[in-house]
Amino acid sequence: MTNSTIVYIPDLHCADLKTQATWEAMANWIVANKDLKNIIAVLGIGDNVTVPTVSNLNQAKAGWDIIASAGIPYVVNLGNHDYDNEGIWPDPRNITAFNAVFPL
């Protein structure tokens, strides 16, 4: 039986705007180790950005695109920081910016 690996990425927003190179280095490590670690998928748990603008989300997407270009399936989940207005009342569930960058 061959072992498979699913990479789990928590709270990407900790690396997004401050150190874009860190996120891209993480994505490149995943790609470089795809075969060695038998990486079959990557799961992001949300909070892709600190401030949910299209510009910031596009920076986060750059790392996801590295993973996708290697043919590795990924799932990008929403965290409270990914919602317009950062999930704060009165509009806690609007995801216009997120949907513009990560369409269905």
Side-chain angles (χ1 to χ4, degrees):
M1 174 182 243
T2 303
N3 291 329
S4 298
T5 302
I6 297 174
V7 177
Y8 175 82
I9 300 177
D11 290 291
L12 237 171
H13 76 105
C14 295
D16 68 350
L17 299 177
K18 299 175 195 99
T19 55
Q20 177 68 24
T22 299
W23 169 216
E24 291 182 11
M26 290 166 55
N28 283 316
W29 182 93
I30 292 166
V31 170
N33 286 278
K34 175 184 176 183
D35 294 331
L36 179 66
K37 304 283 187 184
N38 194 26
I39 297 172
I40 61 168
V42 180
L43 303 177
I45 66 159
D47 287 343
N48 291 274
V49 295
T50 301
V51 179
T53 65
V54 169
S55 175
N56 292 349
L57 286 160
N58 275 322
Q59 286 185 342
K61 189 171 184 305
W64 291 113
D65 287 345
I66 291 168
I67 292 165
S69 69
I72 303 170
Y74 68 88
V75 176
V76 179
N77 288 307
L78 288 159
N80 65 303
H81 289 276
D82 298 320
Y83 285 90
D84 296 353
N85 201 29
E86 298 178 52
I88 300 170
W89 182 261
D91 197 10
R93 295 292 180 199
N94 191 352
I95 53 173
T96 305
F98 188 89
N99 284 339
V101 176
F102 295 99
L104 293 175

